[in-house]
Amino acid sequence: MKKKVLLIQPNYRRIYAYAKSKKLTPIFPPIGLAYIAAVLKKKGIEVKILEANAFNLSHEQIKKQIEEEKPDIVGITATTSLIEEAHDIAKLCDKKIKVVIGGIHASSLPQETLEKFERFDFLIRGEGEFTMLELAEGKEIEKIKGLSYRKGKKIIHNKPRELIENLDGLPFPARELLPMGRYVSVGAKQQPSDYILSSRGCPYGCIFCADYLVHGRMFRYRSPENVIKEVEFLHEKGIKEFDFIDDNFTLLPERVKEICDLMIKKGLDRDMIWRCSNGIRIDSVDLELLKKMKKAGCYMVSLGIESGNERILKNIKKSISLEKVREAVKLCRAAGIETRGLFMFGNLGEDEKTMQDTINFAKSLDLDTATFHITIPFPNTEYWKIIKEEGEIYPKNYRDYIAYGNVIFQHGNLNEETLIKMQKKAYREFYFRPRIILGAMKKIRSLDKLKLYLDAGIAFLGLR
């Protein structure tokens, strides 16, 4: 018998309000839940999404909506920093409701998650669309791949589910179940804006990345024609800007060129602009590709650089060189595309010198903006395992696993005082330069935008 399903996006602003101004906290749509909902709807399952984050809901408000919906199954997604919040939500559910936990933390630590959080009845490992579908359709629990659950005092992990190879076969995310007008991206130039995921999986082995625990190492991608159908759908809905949130959007350059050609052919480039803010690999672009992206409406790409020290890049298995980074930034500039450098402090083998190398390298590049995050050793990543063996991870709870929270580990020459000092120094040295300040001023077209930049500066330089 088919079950009624309520999918819940927890309110991450309860734990992630890192900025001094609420305007700086981005609010992104839960694309993963929207994909699951779309698959369920296609098969006739009654499903809704409770967006606790977009509406900034309290536990009391969440509980009231659960009681009003009366679902048979509640599915909750959670990153590591949200897993405790997700369990608090699970405890709001009536005992008759079966609660399913999914997301990156569940896939990273399935055994511990079910041992520690007793109100989760089921756990989905890996991609959740078809595991949730079979659960909602009432398939025998023991036969559902990718599912974990309790049987008496024992925790059972069914066989893993195969990765979804035909991404074109998935329906577009069920945006009609989301409050699309409430999502905010600080970096967007035009509103309304939206997000597209055109591929899954990463073939690289960066030791800090946890995404492969859900989407695997095999790169899978939607066809250019399928991607353009979604772009056209957004265009018909009046969307002015969208963001490719892939981990590896440019991994196959010929595919990206085809996508761009179709955008241009259909005239989508005249009404829409787009960016790749999640970061693209610097060794997957050339001038021809970047010029075509620019012509098709791309105005900004983030570059996953991580470090300005060759030894550190080798330590984290980034498989790039500083020379390749320099070349990629120059090519982006030549194509007229803005660049944001993504850097991290606290990589394997770091000390003050290597972090200063990163600051100096970032300043030497012709970047428009840069971020300097302190590395988070996410559970079950290679770096997490190294630190557990050789150093110490000491969060009081999983809520500490946030990008602008307290430093949660110590390893080698790395400690909280040094990491915080170098992060603040990086922001000061990178942004307090005439070229960067003048460049930012040229982009300010309203008083609200000016206030936003001022708030960002205050927040970044006074993080703690």
Side-chain angles (χ1 to χ4, degrees):
M1 188 175 108
K2 293 180 179 179
K3 311 290 185 181
K4 181 179 180 181
V5 177
L6 180 65
L7 303 174
I8 300 179
Q9 166 64 46
N11 185 0
Y12 60 71
R13 284 187 279 176
R14 289 175 60 88
I15 63 157
Y16 213 97
Y18 59 81
K20 296 194 176 185
S21 168
K22 290 184 179 179
K23 294 178 182 177
L24 291 175
T25 304
I27 307 171
F28 300 119
I31 294 295
L33 287 186
Y35 264 114
I36 292 173
V39 169
L40 297 183
K41 280 188 68 178
K42 188 176 180 181
K43 291 293 185 177
I45 303 294
E46 186 177 355
V47 58
K48 289 187 177 180
I49 298 176
L50 173 52
E51 234 295 15
N53 186 59
F55 289 103
N56 201 20
L57 300 182
S58 66
H59 284 173
E60 292 75 16
Q61 291 170 312
I62 294 171
K63 183 177 181 181
K64 183 179 178 181
Q65 291 204 30
I66 294 172
E67 290 172 347
E68 289 176 355
E69 293 297 336
K70 297 181 174 59
D72 301 300
I73 297 174
V74 162
I76 310 173
T77 184
T79 58
T80 294
S81 60
L82 278 171
I83 192 65
E84 288 159 333
E85 175 67 14
H87 191 242
D88 287 344
I89 292 172
K91 290 187 289 187
L92 301 174
C93 298
D94 185 278
K95 294 295 183 182
K96 292 182 291 186
I97 298 173
K98 295 299 181 183
V99 181
V100 185
I101 184 65
I104 199 162
H105 186 84
S107 293
S108 300
L109 297 173
Q111 180 76 20
E112 182 202 272
T113 300
L114 287 179
E115 287 175 350
K116 187 173 182 179
F117 302 109
E118 74 284 348
R119 188 57 189 91
F120 296 143
D121 298 296
F122 299 104
L123 180 147
I124 291 178
R125 310 187 315 274
E127 295 174 332
E129 286 88 351
F130 294 104
T131 303
M132 179 62 86
L133 175 62
E134 291 178 3
L135 192 61
E137 288 180 327
K139 186 174 180 177
E140 290 181 53
I141 301 301
E142 293 79 9
K143 295 182 180 179
I144 300 177
K145 291 182 179 180
L147 193 69
S148 297
Y149 52 93
R150 298 181 193 82
K151 194 170 186 179
K153 293 184 178 180
K154 187 177 180 182
I155 293 174
I156 305 296
H157 302 289
N158 289 352
K159 291 180 180 179
R161 181 172 292 276
E162 300 83 359
L163 295 170
I164 301 170
E165 291 191 32
N166 180 22
L167 296 183
D168 282 4
L170 292 174
F172 297 154
R175 293 179 172 89
E176 68 276 10
L177 299 181
L178 295 172
M180 296 305 298
R182 300 188 70 90
Y183 297 114
V184 177
S185 176
V186 176
K189 286 187 174 183
Q190 296 184 173
Q191 295 293 345
S193 61
D194 208 331
Y195 304 83
I196 294 178
L197 182 66
S198 79
S199 64
R200 298 183 183 183
C202 179
Y204 296 95
C206 301
I207 69 171
F208 55 83
C209 183
D211 188 67
Y212 80 94
L213 295 167
V214 174
H215 296 301
R217 298 289 191 196
M218 182 175 71
F219 182 68
R220 295 154 292 135
Y221 54 91
R222 296 163 56 191
S223 67
E225 293 78 13
N226 183 261
V227 173
I228 291 302
K229 282 182 181 179
E230 187 170 6
V231 175
E232 289 179 307
F233 172 81
L234 298 184
H235 181 258
E236 291 169 4
K237 295 293 183 182
I239 298 299
K240 297 295 184 183
E241 175 176 335
F242 61 92
D243 189 351
F244 281 113
I245 55 173
D246 304 40
D247 287 329
N248 289 288
F249 178 66
T250 56
L251 186 65
L252 300 178
E254 293 305 315
R255 168 179 171 266
V256 177
K257 290 176 185 177
E258 287 185 54
I259 291 173
C260 292
D261 284 338
L262 286 171
M263 285 186 196
I264 296 165
K265 180 180 178 181
K266 293 176 177 289
L268 297 167
D269 58 306
R270 293 194 294 268
D271 299 321
M272 304 176 79
I273 59 174
W274 52 281
R275 57 194 171 128
C276 300
S277 65
N278 203 38
I280 62 173
R281 283 192 62 90
I282 59 94
D283 54 359
S284 63
V285 294
D286 56 34
L287 188 57
E288 179 188 359
L289 173 63
L290 291 168
K291 283 184 174 180
K292 185 153 286 190
M293 289 169 62
K294 174 67 175 179
K295 186 176 180 182
C298 178
Y299 71 88
M300 191 278 284
V301 297
S302 294
L303 302 171
I305 303 170
E306 323 310 355
S307 176
N309 181 282
E310 295 278 11
R311 177 174 60 84
I312 298 302
L313 289 176
K314 185 175 180 180
N315 286 352
I316 64 176
K317 300 181 181 179
K318 186 65 182 177
S319 302
I320 61 173
S321 68
L322 299 184
E323 186 53 42
K324 279 285 187 182
V325 173
R326 292 188 188 95
E327 181 183 354
V329 174
K330 289 178 181 177
L331 291 175
C332 289
R333 182 64 66 195
I337 295 177
E338 296 175 20
T339 53
R340 175 190 298 147
L342 306 180
F343 300 93
M344 298 194 307
F345 289 148
N347 293 302
L348 180 62
E350 289 252 55
D351 54 28
E352 279 198 45
K353 180 188 177 302
T354 63
M355 287 185 273
Q356 186 62 53
D357 288 343
T358 295
I359 296 172
N360 295 341
F361 184 63
K363 290 161 59 181
S364 76
L365 300 171
D366 194 10
L367 297 167
D368 293 282
T369 58
T371 61
F372 301 89
H373 287 179
I374 292 176
T375 303
I376 304 171
F378 285 110
N380 225 8
T381 59
E382 185 176 347
Y383 196 22
W384 181 82
K385 293 174 183 177
I386 291 171
I387 295 174
K388 291 276 281 187
E389 183 176 336
E390 301 176 358
E392 184 180 3
I393 296 177
Y394 44 78
K396 294 178 181 177
N397 52 56
Y398 283 123
R399 285 180 170 87
D400 291 334
Y401 279 74
I402 58 177
Y404 290 94
N406 298 320
V407 177
I408 64 168
F409 73 100
Q410 185 159 341
H411 183 263
N413 295 309
L414 299 172
N415 57 62
E416 183 171 24
E417 181 182 358
T418 301
L419 288 168
I420 292 173
K421 178 182 75 173
M422 296 306 292
Q423 184 187 45
K424 288 184 178 181
K425 185 178 184 185
Y427 278 112
R428 281 196 305 269
E429 291 195 15
F430 184 87
Y431 282 101
F432 285 2
R433 293 182 292 156
R435 182 181 71 79
I436 297 296
I437 294 172
L438 289 173
M441 295 298 289
K442 288 178 182 177
K443 296 173 187 175
I444 295 173
R445 293 180 172 83
S446 68
L447 186 59
D448 286 342
K449 203 72 172 178
L450 175 60
K451 290 178 180 177
L452 192 63
Y453 276 114
L454 291 174
D455 284 346
I458 292 169
F460 282 128
L461 295 177
L463 291 172
R464 302 169 179 85

